[in-house]
Amino acid sequence: MMDIILQQVLNAISLGGIYALLALGLAVVFSIVGLINFAHGELMTVAGYVLFLGVLFALPLPFAVLLAIGAAALAAVLTERLAFRPMRKADATSLLLTSFAVSAILRVLFQNGISARPKPVPLPSALSGTVNLGPVHLGAVPLASIVVTVLSLVTLNLFLKRTTMGQAMRAAAEDFQVLRLMGIKANRVIAVAFGLSGALAGISAVLWVAQRGSVDPLMGFIPVLKAFVAAVIGGLGSLPGAVAGGFVLGISEVLFQAFLPEAALPFRDAFVLSVVIAILIWRPEGLIPAKTARRS
Amino acid sequence: MTCGGAVRLWLNIPVTAWTGAALLSLGVAALAIGLKLVLGLNGENMATLVLLQISAVLALAIFSGNSGIVSFGHSAFMGVGAYTAGLLTMAAAAQKTALPTLPAWLAGHETGLLVALAATAVVGAVVGVISGLPLSRLSTGSAAIGTLAFLIIIHVSLVGARDFTRGSQTFYGVPRLTTLWVALAAAILMIFAARLFRETRLGLALRASRENEVAAAAIGINMRQSRFLAWVASITCATLIGALYGHYLGAFSPKDFYFDLIFTFIAMLIVGGLFSVSGAVAGVLMLALVIQLLREAEAGVDLGFATLPQIFGLPQLGLGLALLLTIWTRPNGLSGLGELRLASLTRRPDEVAPKPLTLQAQTTPTKQSLAVRDVTVRFGGLTALDHITFDVPMGQVTGLIGPNGAGKTTLINVICGQQRPTSGSVTLGGQALSALPAHRVAAAGLARTFQNIRLFDRLTALENVVVAAQGAGRSRTEAEGIAMAELARMGLAARWNERAEAFAYGDRRRLEIARALALAPAFLLLDEPAAGMNPAETDRLIETLERLKAERDLGILVVEHDMRLIMRLSDRMVVLNKGQKIAEGSPDAVRSDPLVIEAYIGTKRHHNDQLES
């Protein structure tokens, strides 16, 4: 019994962590360029396939993982360069639709270029086993996932607080004009924001694949939909909000999964999203609203 | 309203909108009937589908086109309509085999299409209200994601409600009642509904808030309420069209109403033109053709000398590219902002001096004043305003000046309800403005202009002013007369039908003042009205304002850096410095006040000394 409860708590935190990383990636980009990036899920898919290829060619796992994360970051920077930079002056709706189109195009390319069917990604057996802490047996993947999430969040926090680029990004999120005053090139900040968001998508993809064991062209679709919702609950464009929203969403999913009666289980997502809507009625700006400079 | 003997408005909506919709309907009908005649049964099928797509895209446009919030949820709401109506019209025998566990109260109705549509409309309105309440509270960006949440919620519910929908299995046995004629009737109704909705009070208010939320609130538009009402209307239409789509398909499953469908509709709407009904129709026609061609090419094309490979998802790829190219090259869609209309019917409204409103505003006693009482605003440790008290009397011009950082902007925001004071209040005729939400300030009798001009850029000059006059409770006919009179006062009458974005800087400032005056305010707040104007333009502005002061019972508060303008125009002046009121009185008294000289010139000399040393 103890095992089951602890395992559920662990699952909740690890799922929440993945949503948090994804929502954070969305929030980093949104806070700076005002783009809600639909193509974020395709960045996950890129990382998934690179990981698949790495494992296929028997690269050492850490190397394959780094390669996958790097590929997602690179893909993010490339989409910015090719699709979003021509739109720098556009309003939020046009940006959203651009990413919507980019996402649809990439999905078709994956389906034709690689395969419409899922590809298995065999991971080392150490990851599929359980960890025994005294009398309690816990899944290795959720544990590892929590560790990776925490490390990523700490590193990101250090980057944003301690480096010049990180500070520039935080300043730009509140008021983009500040960049000019700081003498920092806007294009570089935006490129770094996209790269960072891609890397976060890559990390989440690796964790996601580790739990599912396969990749397919649509793998990023569902988790990123959830991440959108998480970013909105937290407060669109707010980084602490994205993390909070991710955990709220992940934890409520696992709780509903565990405690809903059998007959209601197919409606789990509807229940979860109803909770989300209740939160938004209570706080329309999100749990931790973003700070932005307002000029009259 | 008549002009040159011709009618300009019919049922409070411009005649050009009626004729435009009729013209569009004729074109669509001719095309559909032509397809049937030329291609026979195949063509009839194709035409029916395209007509349904037109209807669905226009249902989406009623909300998205006017509010500027793209909805990703509409396809799922269509699904709700398809299942609801399908359950009602299905033959009882077929229903028994397909849905053995259907609750008895829903089973075996075998209604006709019209009864089913009526029931669907009720369901649609209820679903629209339930989803609209939270949605209308969200900011523009979050609202788009909110609609995405609806898409998922409804999809999951349709899959989960197995007793009613057969879950993810095919829902079959729905009679194919949507003929070409039914679809044509639906498309024509939707063309009129969408085209006329744009011109209604609600549609115009929503378009204004799409262009500029802050300015819309300042002329009394309640954006939340407008979005809510438009959403309910749009969702009700979408469920009805969904019902017809279900009776066209005959058999369907929840995934038919999921992402691919809404992606197609959004692409059609954006490529054609989000902001134009004619554009939306053109977009559907164009992309329907593209999809048809790509679907045939999907299996691979034999070019004689070479064979193109089979590409899975080619229509999706085509739609994505079309969407991308449109946004890059023509962000307003292929049709731009224009609507199909008969140019010969476009008439300029007559100018009409406003009759006093019987309803509100002007009934307030004339000798009241706008009273700023002991207003303090603190941002953390910074005191932006420190116990400020003064009056803006009726019938006079009060000038508010102060060096940069004096707290002028904060004071304006407090007066207009955009910033709550830490303590103190601003009252007008006994009403505390500082406690009202921003969109209620106009009705209390205060109109304003903005330092960084806020116009409704993609609306015409006339629409910019009409929307304000309507906000003050005028009918469209009255509003147009008043709007033309105010445009004429500001010297813009000749350009009534041009879009505000085309106006030069000085004209934009004047258009903003015309819009504020159309509210028939008791008090007018002008925030740097002469900024960016050349001396000749400033002179004309001063003349206009002086005439206004003589003509109307109006209290004016002017914030301005241009000393020439403010000294000439003001009856009284208030001077702020570092959050405190340092002087108040006639322009001459203020000019010679040592504190004012020190605040302005003293610091400047000090500054110069520093520069020289």
Side-chain angles (χ1 to χ4, degrees):
Chain A
M1 189 60 203
M2 184 67 190
D3 268 26
I4 295 175
I5 291 178
L6 235 113
Q7 187 60 54
Q8 292 291 11
V9 169
L10 211 60
N11 285 344
I13 298 175
S14 82
L15 184 65
I18 294 181
Y19 290 158
L21 291 179
L22 283 170
L24 202 52
L26 291 171
V28 167
V29 166
F30 182 84
S31 66
I32 291 177
V33 287
L35 161 70
I36 300 170
N37 192 1
F38 251 99
H40 204 67
E42 279 56 48
L43 300 177
M44 271 185 90
T45 315
V46 167
Y49 278 118
V50 172
L51 186 66
F52 162 71
L53 289 176
V55 173
L56 191 71
F57 289 107
L59 296 179
L61 190 64
F63 187 61
V65 165
L66 284 180
L67 211 60
I69 296 169
L74 184 69
V77 174
L78 278 179
T79 54
E80 190 274 325
R81 196 77 185 77
L82 295 174
F84 301 119
R85 190 167 295 183
M87 308 280 309
R88 198 54 66 72
K89 289 261 145 49
D91 57 86
T93 306
S94 307
L95 284 170
L96 173 73
L97 290 168
T98 306
S99 73
F100 192 49
V102 168
S103 146
I105 292 169
L106 287 178
R107 231 176 303 146
V108 176
L109 293 182
F110 290 140
Q111 281 169 344
N112 289 287
I114 305 170
S115 164
R117 291 166 190 282
K119 294 274 183 194
V121 182
L123 288 172
S125 53
L127 273 176
S128 56
T130 53
V131 177
N132 302 333
L133 293 170
V136 190
H137 310 281
L138 298 170
V141 170
L143 268 181
S145 165
I146 292 174
V147 172
V148 172
T149 304
V150 170
L151 280 179
S152 310
L153 291 180
V154 170
T155 314
L156 182 68
N157 196 35
L158 284 177
F159 170 77
L160 288 174
K161 296 236 159 106
R162 296 290 161 82
T163 63
T164 314
M165 181 51 85
Q167 284 165 348
M169 287 175 64
R170 286 195 301 145
E174 278 191 35
D175 188 348
F176 199 80
Q177 306 303 326
V178 171
L179 287 188
R180 279 195 204 132
L181 304 179
M182 287 174 76
I184 293 175
K185 285 214 174 84
N187 278 343
R188 272 195 57 205
V189 174
I190 293 172
V192 172
F194 270 87
L196 206 58
S197 124
L200 287 166
I203 297 170
S204 340
V206 171
L207 299 178
W208 193 258
V209 171
Q211 303 201 345
R212 321 264 136 162
S214 70
V215 294
D216 64 89
L218 298 178
M219 69 166 267
F221 184 68
I222 296 293
V224 167
L225 280 187
K226 303 287 174 60
F228 279 136
V229 173
V232 170
I233 322 175
L236 209 50
S238 146
L239 305 192
V243 175
F247 279 109
V248 167
L249 190 66
I251 290 169
S252 43
E253 273 190 15
V254 172
L255 282 182
F256 274 115
Q257 182 73 39
F259 296 113
L260 273 184
E262 186 100 15
L265 271 186
F267 299 99
R268 188 199 68 183
D269 283 1
F271 278 104
V272 172
L273 291 171
S274 306
V275 170
V276 165
I277 286 173
I279 293 178
L280 287 177
I281 290 176
W282 169 52
R283 298 198 67 144
E285 303 291 317
L287 293 173
I288 309 174
K291 280 185 243 158
T292 48
R294 257 206 265 169
R295 294 161 187 276
S296 81
Chain B
M1 173 83 6
T2 59
C3 177
V7 182
R8 195 188 127 72
L9 296 175
W10 192 50
L11 297 180
N12 263 328
I13 287 176
V15 168
T16 47
W18 292 95
T19 52
L23 218 57
L24 206 55
S25 305
L26 275 179
V28 167
L31 206 72
I33 296 170
L35 262 179
K36 174 185 155 79
L37 292 180
V38 176
L39 295 176
L41 193 61
N42 224 344
E44 187 172 336
N45 247 327
M46 216 184 290
T48 311
L49 178 62
V50 170
L51 289 170
L52 289 173
Q53 285 172 331
I54 288 177
S55 314
V57 168
L58 289 177
L60 175 63
I62 285 180
F63 178 73
S64 294
N66 295 300
S67 70
I69 302 168
V70 177
S71 163
F72 294 93
H74 272 62
S75 60
F77 289 99
M78 283 177 69
V80 171
Y83 280 98
T84 308
L87 280 174
L88 291 175
T89 56
M90 198 181 265
Q95 206 175 42
K96 275 219 176 74
T97 43
L99 298 159
T101 50
L102 189 69
W105 60 273
L106 252 176
H109 288 293
E110 277 191 70
T111 67
L113 186 60
L114 281 179
V115 175
L117 286 179
T120 306
V122 174
V123 171
V126 170
V127 175
V129 167
I130 294 172
S131 52
L133 285 174
L135 187 80
S136 56
R137 290 173 58 86
L138 299 181
S139 69
T140 306
S142 299
I145 304 299
T147 62
L148 198 61
F150 292 144
L151 181 73
I152 305 168
I153 292 181
I154 295 176
H155 179 75
V156 169
S157 305
L158 289 178
V159 172
R162 289 199 197 97
D163 293 347
F164 303 86
T165 63
R166 294 175 51 80
S168 51
Q169 285 175 290
T170 304
F171 183 85
Y172 62 85
V174 179
R176 293 210 159 89
L177 300 173
T178 305
T179 59
L180 176 66
W181 308 113
V182 172
L184 182 59
I188 290 176
L189 279 175
M190 284 308 301
I191 287 173
F192 273 90
R195 181 67 188 88
L196 301 182
F197 180 78
R198 276 167 58 90
E199 307 294 339
T200 60
R201 183 183 291 260
L202 175 61
L204 191 56
L206 201 58
R207 284 193 285 146
S209 70
R210 169 191 87 200
E211 296 298 316
N212 198 311
E213 285 180 26
V214 177
I219 60 167
I221 292 173
N222 182 344
M223 188 175 69
R224 274 188 189 174
Q225 194 189 39
S226 311
R227 281 185 179 172
F228 173 74
L229 293 173
W231 173 261
V232 175
S234 173
I235 290 304
T236 309
C237 292
T239 46
L240 285 171
I241 304 305
L244 294 178
Y245 186 54
H247 286 81
Y248 164 79
L249 293 174
F252 44 82
S253 64
K255 72 170 179 357
D256 291 322
F257 299 96
Y258 204 34
F259 237 91
D260 285 349
L261 190 66
I262 193 65
F263 180 59
T264 309
F265 291 155
I266 288 178
M268 286 171 163
L269 184 58
I270 301 298
V271 169
L274 177 60
F275 305 123
S276 150
V277 171
S278 325
V281 174
V284 174
L285 296 177
M286 209 158 32
L287 286 196
L289 186 69
V290 170
I291 292 172
Q292 188 67 29
L293 292 176
L294 290 179
R295 198 160 281 156
E296 275 164 30
E298 201 173 10
V301 181
D302 191 5
L303 293 175
F305 52 92
T307 327
L308 291 180
Q310 185 179 343
I311 300 177
F312 177 70
L314 196 58
Q316 237 56 22
L317 189 65
L319 287 181
L321 285 175
L323 191 53
L324 210 53
L325 287 177
T326 308
I327 297 170
W328 277 344
T329 56
R330 302 207 54 167
N332 289 330
L334 294 181
S335 71
L337 299 165
E339 285 287 1
L340 188 66
R341 62 189 167 86
L342 293 169
S344 58
L345 286 178
T346 310
R347 314 250 169 228
R348 174 175 154 170
D350 288 335
E351 296 159 24
V352 177
K355 290 187 213 94
L357 279 173
T358 45
L359 297 167
Q360 30 164 332
Q362 292 289 20
T363 55
T364 42
T366 46
K367 281 304 159 203
Q368 63 184 0
S369 60
L370 179 67
V372 177
R373 286 287 169 271
D374 207 24
V375 166
T376 298
V377 175
R378 289 198 191 88
F379 299 113
L382 177 82
T383 305
L385 292 174
D386 192 3
H387 300 285
I388 303 293
T389 295
F390 66 93
D391 282 305
V392 182
M394 176 59 79
Q396 291 190 10
V397 176
T398 305
L400 177 66
I401 62 168
N404 283 329
K408 300 188 297 288
T409 303
T410 309
L411 183 57
I412 290 168
N413 286 343
V414 170
I415 294 175
C416 296
Q418 287 177 345
Q419 165 81 50
R420 295 261 175 277
T422 314
S423 66
S425 68
V426 179
T427 57
L428 197 169
Q431 223 177 341
L433 292 186
S434 41
L436 291 177
H439 69 267
R440 299 267 305 279
V441 169
L446 176 67
R448 70 170 295 186
T449 66
F450 294 88
Q451 186 183 344
N452 311 331
I453 309 169
R454 291 176 179 274
L455 288 171
F456 308 128
D457 274 339
R458 289 177 289 196
L459 268 52
T460 64
L462 182 70
E463 285 172 325
N464 263 277
V465 188
V466 161
V467 71
Q470 280 186 327
R474 309 279 185 172
S475 74
R476 173 87 181 212
T477 317
E478 283 178 306
E480 289 201 342
I482 293 166
M484 282 311 294
E486 296 302 351
L487 285 174
R489 179 202 300 282
M490 302 312 296
L492 297 169
R495 305 181 64 188
W496 65 279
N497 206 19
E498 285 177 46
R499 272 191 280 275
E501 63 189 351
F503 282 42
Y505 201 82
D507 291 338
R508 290 171 68 79
R509 288 240 174 254
R510 279 194 287 277
L511 181 53
E512 223 192 5
I513 297 174
R515 183 179 68 191
L517 287 174
L519 287 167
F523 289 89
L524 177 63
L525 192 162
L526 300 173
D527 196 353
E528 301 198 17
M533 284 190 175
N534 62 37
E537 282 180 314
T538 308
D539 280 340
R540 253 185 296 151
L541 180 68
I542 293 174
E543 273 169 42
T544 311
L545 292 178
E546 279 176 339
R547 232 181 318 127
L548 185 68
K549 201 168 83 174
E551 272 173 31
R552 281 211 203 168
D553 219 359
L554 184 68
I556 303 180
L557 177 63
V558 187
V559 181
E560 187 50 78
H561 282 299
D562 187 325
M563 282 298 155
R564 195 168 60 99
L565 176 133
I566 206 146
M567 289 290 171
R568 228 179 99 183
L569 208 56
S570 300
D571 300 300
R572 291 172 62 262
M573 288 179 63
V574 174
V575 188
L576 291 186
N577 190 28
K578 295 176 185 160
Q580 290 176 323
K581 184 176 84 175
I582 56 168
E584 184 177 3
S586 71
D588 286 331
V590 162
R591 203 192 327 237
S592 51
D593 190 309
L595 274 174
V596 178
I597 296 173
E598 199 202 309
Y600 268 87
I601 302 155
T603 51
K604 214 167 254 171
R605 181 172 299 153
H606 179 67
H607 197 69
N608 287 343
D609 289 348
Q610 274 187 331
L611 283 180
E612 280 158 20
S613 63

